[in-house]
Amino acid sequence: MNWRGWGDPDKEADLPEGVRTLLRDLLGVREPTARAVALDAVRLPPPALPPAFERELAALLGQDALRLDHESRVRHTRGKSTPDLLRMRAGDGRDAPDAVVSPASHDDVLAVLRLCAAHRVAVVPFGGGTSVVGGLAADRGGHAGVIALDLARLDRLISVDTESMVACLEPGLRAPEAERLLAEHGLTIGHFPQSYEYATLGGFAAARSSGQASAGYGRFDDMVVGLTVATPSGTLDLGRAPKSAAGPDLRQLVLGSEGAFGIITSLRLRVRPLPPERAYEGWHFPSFAAGREAMRALAQEGPPPTVLRLSDETETMVGLARPDDIGALSADGCLLIAGYEGAGVEATREAAGRVLAAHGGKPLGEEPGEAWAHGRYAAPYLRDSLLAAGATVETLETAGFWSDLPRLYDAVRLALHGALGSPLVMCHVSHVYPTGASLYFTVVTAQTDDPLEQWAGAKRAANDAIVAAGGTISHHHGVGRDHRDAYAAEIGDLGIEVLRAVKERLDPTGICNPGVLFTPTGPASEERDRG
């Protein structure tokens, strides 16, 4: 993983001339004067772990499981949001962990958490490092140090139950490797978010991820039938049946918790047969509203495609739905992508096509759909190139009920324009349900002298607009620290107090990813506030 960007560094590419022209003429973007620093030039704070803790940890796991070198610390600093990348490009590594620890089993994780609790060392779980909401930035307040708990060694397919269609896997498995292992059994998870190439299964669960094929396969939290969690207070082993009336479902308390209560060490997931057929196609709609109504009809009445996404007029014009052809301006209207996987693809495709056509859609054939499928993981690489060219570019997402979506769409766009002046704001509907859908915004504007504060102001405005318009602060990116205040407004003071009570029981010393989900309290936060 590129330490100051996305994915494979060898895939970094220059922007097409059409994009450079668009940036210059439409947004006034100019090449930055400063270049990104080299890895060895990133400024890190001196390691601050207590010597006794280091000795005990090395004795517990072995010296090879404890890394304090400069490169390991840099590569485990923050996630992949635009502010994260801007800081790393400038050589700011102040949020680096003091060390990287690599356990190899549930018992290892449990022992590390107990040791960290005894020495008041904070623990930030690290999977693929793909968080875009500040979920991996170390909060040192009142702690003796911070470690990144790298789960890469927990990377096994433990078991497959083909009768129940359930597989047990470890959280450090990256999604492509999990799919490869399951494919040997003729199975798939069916979870393909934009972070697919680098994200891990544990990260999917911790952030309530939703994949691009969610219309057919469901969200990741829909796929979790059981999980094991190591906490400083002991082990939680949750999920012994597909559904249960035995009290509140504690699995749902762990899903989306982003390591605040403990570390997921295994997952039992619903799996599906590998699809024998796949087909993707494009449809043209005269407006975003018309396309949205077609999506609603499919979500509520069927038949639902496996993939269903709709770009608004601006995103369609710029071509963001086709990253390989970005900058080649398209005609007016909106592009809808529909994908079909499984058995009987043609029958489902024809039935869905009748619904789309009845709502004003015009078929464009398979070429737009195949182009989207080919470039579906390319957009983050485009962001790196845009940042290097002097543009501030970032994404944000929300979700709401169908009746609220027009107001939510307008509110977020107005907030971004008010905060940034004349940005390019694009949007698509990325996930649909019978009762509502998600909205995924991409924002591009010329960088100011302080791009971090520039985006911070825009993000605050967008968060406030989402809350005021009745949307959720995140549909699939998670809470992290970026959404913490808005999340508190969404669930209310009593909701936050419930989460605090859970944390105090499972993590009484407050070492598990402190500051994620809600502001820490107690001696650690009081010391941080005084400092």
Side-chain angles (χ1 to χ4, degrees):
M1 174 70 96
N2 189 341
W3 64 272
R4 57 174 174 80
W6 180 260
D8 183 351
D10 292 336
K11 291 185 179 180
E12 289 186 13
D14 290 333
L15 290 173
E17 186 55 37
V19 176
R20 291 186 177 276
T21 300
L22 184 69
L23 293 174
R24 182 178 61 250
D25 296 347
L26 181 64
L27 301 176
V29 172
R30 296 293 180 265
E31 293 281 344
T33 55
R35 298 293 179 184
V37 305
L39 188 149
D40 58 6
V42 176
R43 303 177 300 278
L44 302 182
L49 292 176
F53 172 80
E54 287 188 38
R55 291 193 299 270
E56 291 178 46
L57 190 59
L60 180 67
L61 300 183
Q63 192 64 50
D64 290 346
L66 174 63
R67 288 171 283 163
L68 298 96
D69 61 284
H70 181 90
E71 180 172 350
S72 294
R73 294 177 67 203
V74 169
R75 291 189 179 278
H76 291 78
T77 300
R78 308 189 188 97
K80 298 300 180 184
S81 70
T82 288
D84 291 340
L85 300 187
L86 287 170
R87 290 187 176 97
M88 295 308 289
R89 292 174 65 85
D92 176 3
R94 74 184 72 181
D95 291 325
D98 297 304
V100 179
V101 178
S102 302
S105 68
H106 171 83
D107 288 344
D108 282 355
V109 175
L110 203 59
V112 169
L113 290 178
R114 287 171 173 160
L115 184 62
C116 288
H119 289 272
R120 297 197 66 84
V121 171
V123 180
V124 179
F126 194 96
T130 61
S131 170
V132 292
V133 291
L136 302 177
D139 189 335
R140 292 184 172 273
H143 294 96
V146 175
I147 64 167
L149 194 74
D150 191 324
L151 297 165
R153 295 173 67 193
L154 276 75
D155 62 351
R156 296 180 301 145
L157 170 60
I158 299 171
S159 64
V160 176
D161 178 352
T162 54
E163 183 176 3
S164 303
M165 293 299 281
V166 170
C168 185
L169 307 101
E170 290 187 318
L173 270 171
R174 284 189 174 178
E177 179 64 7
E179 287 292 334
R180 186 192 67 79
L181 292 170
L182 287 170
E184 295 176 358
H185 300 268
L187 302 171
T188 181
I189 299 170
H191 190 69
F192 305 104
Q194 198 167 71
S195 61
Y196 168 78
E197 294 173 303
Y198 290 91
T200 61
L201 302 186
F204 290 156
R208 286 191 183 273
S209 175
S210 192
Q212 294 171 337
S214 65
Y217 291 101
R219 293 165 52 95
F220 195 79
D221 46 357
D222 298 329
M223 303 171 185
V224 177
V225 298
L227 39 75
T228 304
V229 187
T231 83
S233 296
T235 297
L236 285 172
D237 193 6
L238 306 172
R240 56 183 2 181
K243 297 291 181 182
S244 172
D249 189 348
L250 293 183
R251 290 173 294 190
Q252 297 303 319
L253 189 63
V254 175
L255 294 169
S257 63
E258 301 184 44
F261 305 140
I263 309 296
I264 297 169
T265 57
S266 69
L267 291 154
R268 293 178 291 286
L269 302 179
R270 179 201 70 200
V271 291
R272 305 282 185 89
L274 279 171
E277 304 174 58
R278 288 187 175 94
Y280 304 96
E281 63 185 10
W283 286 76
H284 175 273
F285 280 86
S287 68
F288 195 45
R292 193 173 60 237
E293 281 302 297
M295 298 179 90
R296 183 171 70 88
L298 283 176
Q300 292 178 342
E301 303 166 19
T306 308
V307 174
L308 190 60
R309 52 196 293 122
L310 172 72
S311 294
D312 71 359
E313 289 85 350
T314 306
E315 187 170 288
T316 300
M317 178 191 70
V318 173
L320 193 62
R322 303 173 57 151
D324 291 347
D325 296 325
I326 192 76
L329 300 184
S330 303
D332 59 358
C334 297
L335 174 65
L336 180 144
I337 299 295
Y340 307 90
E341 299 184 8
V345 157
E346 278 307 310
T348 304
R349 183 176 174 180
E350 289 177 8
R354 289 193 291 270
V355 175
L356 295 173
H359 285 80
K362 294 183 179 180
L364 300 176
E366 293 190 353
E367 193 277 332
E370 294 297 333
W372 169 81
H374 181 264
R376 68 199 305 193
Y377 307 126
Y381 291 101
L382 177 63
R383 179 183 60 166
D384 290 350
S385 300
L386 289 167
L387 289 175
T392 292
V393 54
E394 184 58 299
T395 62
L396 58 93
E397 40 79 47
T398 181
F401 297 112
W402 288 111
S403 57
D404 293 333
L405 283 189
R407 179 167 58 114
L408 188 57
Y409 174 75
D410 290 341
V412 174
R413 285 169 49 83
L414 285 171
L416 292 169
H417 279 278
L420 297 171
S422 299
L424 183 65
V425 181
M426 299 166 278
C427 182
H428 63 262
V429 176
S430 54
H431 307 274
V432 299
Y433 309 95
T435 54
S438 69
L439 296 173
Y440 191 102
F441 295 87
T442 301
V443 189
V444 186
T445 191
Q447 285 183 18
T448 63
D449 293 337
D450 188 351
L452 286 169
E453 181 52 38
Q454 175 191 29
W455 178 249
K459 182 69 170 177
R460 285 192 297 269
N463 285 357
D464 290 346
I466 288 170
V467 172
T472 180
I473 195 58
S474 178
H475 172 264
H476 57 270
H477 282 170
V479 177
R481 290 160 183 82
D482 293 358
H483 295 154
R484 187 172 62 190
D485 293 346
Y487 177 56
E490 185 170 323
I491 68 172
D493 292 343
L494 183 58
I496 290 294
E497 289 306 312
V498 169
L499 295 182
R500 288 192 195 281
V502 172
K503 186 170 179 68
E504 287 168 9
R505 177 62 185 90
L506 297 178
D507 178 24
T509 55
I511 62 163
C512 291
N513 209 1
V516 77
L517 296 188
F518 48 82
T519 306
T521 59
S525 62
E526 291 167 6
E527 183 174 330
R528 182 198 64 231
D529 293 341
R530 287 195 300 269

